[in-house]
Amino acid sequence: MFTRLYEDIVNKSEKLSVIGLGYVGMPIAVAFAKKCSVIGFDLKQEKIDLYKSGIDPTNEVGNDAISNAAIEFTSDETELKKAQFHIVAVPTPVNKEHMPVLAPVEGAAEILGRNLTRGSIVVFESTVYPGVTEEVCVPILERESGLKCGTDFKIAYSPERINPGDKVHRLETIKKIVSGMDEETLECVARIYELVIEAGVYRAESIKVAEAAKVIENSQRDINIAFMNELSIIFNKMGIDTKSVLEAAGTKWNFLKFYPGLVGGHCIGVDPYYLTYKAERLGYHSQIILAGRRINDDMGKYVAESCVKKLIASDKSVKNAKVAIFGFTFKENCPDTRNTKVIDIIKELREYGIESVVTDPKADADEARRLYGIEFKEMNQIRGMDAVILAVAHEEFVQLRKDDLEQLFGEGKKVLLDIKGLLDRKEYEDLGYCYWRL
């Protein structure tokens, strides 16, 4: 029953479904649509309507790819009964207390369970702590379907590695970890993913190993960035330019080239909490991982405080100061504002009586309005500022020149905070700017 599934998918006698059509699910659906019959399911009808109209709100694959993809877009869960290979790609966030929120993946399992047929394989891609697939998702699938895992259906796990906004490291060019509940499932899942993954697949020895591998990838990056952020705080107190230090240290062959910055988004700023949550349940309190998280979570506040200090040093009134923030997304050249740390800068500045003006040509304006109550201004509307904070390295901001920046400011000394180090520090200090960067 399961051994033929690969051939059935290839010859299109069976369909593949993708559950969750966001930044992860949409590229997966488009890639597989070139090789097999795909059903794209999402709960949000407005998102389905956009896709059916050939519009890609994620900007991950582009409108042309959506228009040309032979995908059956639907918000009708019963359509999932037509597929026998299911990929679940829904978000796994944390709450305000930094506790894992498994509701999206549990909800997806419930929906799929109600429409699961015998002979199906279910692959979860959502980032979770080790054990979730087998201990949380399987019981839900069995309860809702009335089927038995291992007999009537099989499960697998293949963590997503998509980097939003990255046009170089794409789904097809990143090696894919795959795992399955047994050898038969693993081989079938590996062969199906090999249809679209040009970089090849890595067969993990178990589902838990694959879950753990994913959650530590971003935890490692988070810790390294936290170290850079701590160095930035120390070097700023010493009056040393952090970027210059890192450039010097980077001349050694084995120096890891990480940089300070705001760590947000739905991966690096979230995944470590899944690992530490599971560790806590087993009686171990994380030291390094949580220390790094505390540093990174506080960087928005640190930037805002640094802005206030520079305003004071420039003889400008802090309360009601005119401050513009360039960039609101969690990373460059990406419309996603979820878990952006720029909002922390805005909130902290409010504590000092400063209402910031925000511009972002890439961000999803409706999402920013709905989630944060932020209304964007056009860049050409920003004038008379006391301080400008370049928070995100969008290509539009990388291209800014001296004349572009000059016209943003009002009278008095110009305070410029270059969070991503986009500009030549010496050049702007020579021009009389009060310049600061991480």
Side-chain angles (χ1 to χ4, degrees):
M1 175 166 59
F2 299 101
T3 54
R4 290 184 50 196
L5 188 51
Y6 169 76
E7 286 77 14
D8 291 341
I9 291 292
V10 171
N11 64 34
K12 300 185 179 181
S13 62
E14 290 292 353
K15 295 182 178 181
L16 177 151
S17 85
V18 178
I19 299 162
L21 299 176
Y23 291 85
V24 174
M26 197 62 239
I28 295 170
V30 168
F32 274 112
K34 299 172 184 175
K35 302 289 184 177
C36 54
S37 298
V38 175
I39 297 171
F41 172 83
D42 199 282
L43 281 173
K44 296 180 179 178
Q45 183 60 47
E46 60 270 26
K47 186 185 292 184
I48 294 297
D49 291 339
L50 284 174
Y51 288 140
K52 284 183 175 180
S53 300
I55 298 173
D56 177 17
T58 69
N59 288 340
E60 283 301 303
V61 295
N63 294 345
D64 289 344
I66 299 292
S67 299
N68 297 324
I71 302 171
E72 298 175 45
F73 293 112
T74 183
S75 60
D76 179 1
E77 65 175 64
T78 62
E79 291 293 303
L80 296 172
K81 293 177 180 178
K82 298 178 181 178
Q84 281 212 300
F85 191 91
H86 304 277
I87 297 173
V88 179
V90 295
T92 42
V94 294
N95 61 21
K96 292 181 179 179
E97 287 72 42
H98 301 137
M99 303 286 280
V101 177
L102 294 177
V105 75
E106 290 171 336
E110 289 174 354
I111 290 171
L112 180 54
R114 291 195 292 267
N115 301 282
L116 197 61
T117 58
R118 282 184 173 81
S120 295
I121 291 179
V122 181
V123 185
F124 289 89
E125 287 217 2
S126 306
T127 303
V128 292
Y129 56 79
V132 168
T133 302
E134 294 157 297
E135 297 162 16
V136 176
C137 297
V138 167
I140 294 173
L141 290 171
E142 289 184 327
R143 183 189 73 222
E144 296 295 325
S145 67
L147 302 176
K148 184 69 176 174
C149 184
T151 304
D152 300 317
F153 70 92
K154 299 288 186 77
I155 59 156
Y157 182 78
S158 179
E160 59 88 5
R161 279 175 160 173
I162 290 173
N163 188 24
D166 191 334
K167 303 306 179 185
V168 177
H169 301 97
R170 300 171 292 106
L171 171 71
E172 295 87 350
T173 61
I174 304 171
K175 200 174 192 73
K176 197 87 163 74
I177 296 174
V178 295
S179 64
M181 65 181 296
D182 52 36
E183 285 299 322
E184 179 186 48
T185 308
L186 174 61
E187 194 56 32
C188 180
V189 170
R191 292 182 71 192
I192 288 176
Y193 273 106
E194 283 173 338
L195 290 172
V196 298
I197 306 297
E198 299 165 8
V201 302
Y202 175 85
R203 292 164 170 80
E205 66 179 48
S206 71
I207 288 176
K208 284 188 175 68
V209 165
E211 290 170 324
K214 168 57 182 176
V215 83
I216 70 163
E217 288 174 11
N218 284 329
S219 296
Q220 181 190 65
R221 185 165 176 78
D222 190 48
I223 291 166
N224 278 297
I225 297 172
F227 177 47
M228 296 297 112
N229 280 332
E230 188 166 57
L231 290 179
S232 176
I233 294 169
I234 294 169
F235 291 147
N236 270 308
K237 287 182 177 297
M238 294 179 175
I240 301 172
D241 183 60
T242 307
K243 187 175 181 180
S244 298
V245 173
L246 295 178
E247 287 173 351
T251 59
K252 189 180 181 186
W253 77 92
N254 61 351
F255 185 80
L256 300 179
K257 294 189 177 182
F258 287 90
Y259 302 94
L262 303 174
V263 183
H266 42 86
C267 290
I268 299 178
V270 171
D271 296 355
Y273 288 121
Y274 274 74
L275 184 58
T276 57
Y277 169 80
K278 182 63 174 180
E280 290 277 3
R281 294 183 66 183
L282 296 173
Y284 179 78
H285 181 73
S286 165
Q287 299 178 65
I288 293 176
I289 299 172
L290 286 179
R293 276 283 76 232
R294 283 192 296 272
I295 291 171
N296 287 342
D297 277 344
D298 285 344
M299 290 309 289
K301 180 180 179 182
Y302 174 67
V303 169
E305 290 173 345
S306 298
C307 179
V308 169
K309 290 176 181 178
K310 293 302 178 184
L311 286 169
I312 294 170
S314 301
D315 296 323
K316 291 180 177 286
S317 173
V318 172
K319 188 174 182 180
N320 297 321
K322 294 181 178 180
V323 176
I325 298 178
F326 279 52
F328 188 72
T329 59
F330 84 90
K331 67 175 295 186
E332 65 275 7
N333 302 319
C334 170
D336 197 350
T337 67
R338 290 175 298 170
N339 198 30
T340 175
K341 291 303 174 183
V342 179
I343 191 65
D344 294 348
I345 301 175
I346 295 169
K347 288 180 177 178
E348 188 65 21
L349 288 175
R350 280 181 186 150
E351 295 293 317
Y352 291 92
I354 300 171
E355 281 298 330
S356 309
V357 175
V358 185
T359 185
D360 194 315
K362 288 282 195 289
D364 184 328
D366 291 336
E367 184 179 73
R369 188 181 302 111
R370 185 180 72 255
L371 297 180
Y372 307 100
I374 297 295
E375 295 282 351
F376 296 141
K377 294 280 189 182
E378 295 294 328
M379 276 193 282
N380 58 17
Q381 296 177 320
I382 297 175
R383 297 291 185 270
M385 294 295 115
D386 295 308
V388 172
I389 302 175
L390 299 179
V392 185
H394 290 321
E395 56 190 354
E396 291 88 345
F397 303 154
V398 173
Q399 295 167 5
L400 289 173
R401 297 294 176 258
K402 286 182 291 185
D403 290 345
D404 301 318
L405 291 168
E406 186 81 20
Q407 63 186 356
L408 301 174
F409 292 92
E411 296 180 358
K413 199 171 183 68
K414 301 174 182 66
V415 177
L416 179 60
L417 282 77
D418 180 14
I419 307 307
K420 302 294 289 185
L422 303 179
L423 307 172
D424 183 322
R425 179 174 194 145
K426 186 176 186 305
E427 179 181 13
Y428 282 87
E429 286 181 338
D430 288 347
L431 289 170
Y433 281 71
C434 180
Y435 179 96
W436 182 92
R437 66 185 176 200
L438 285 176

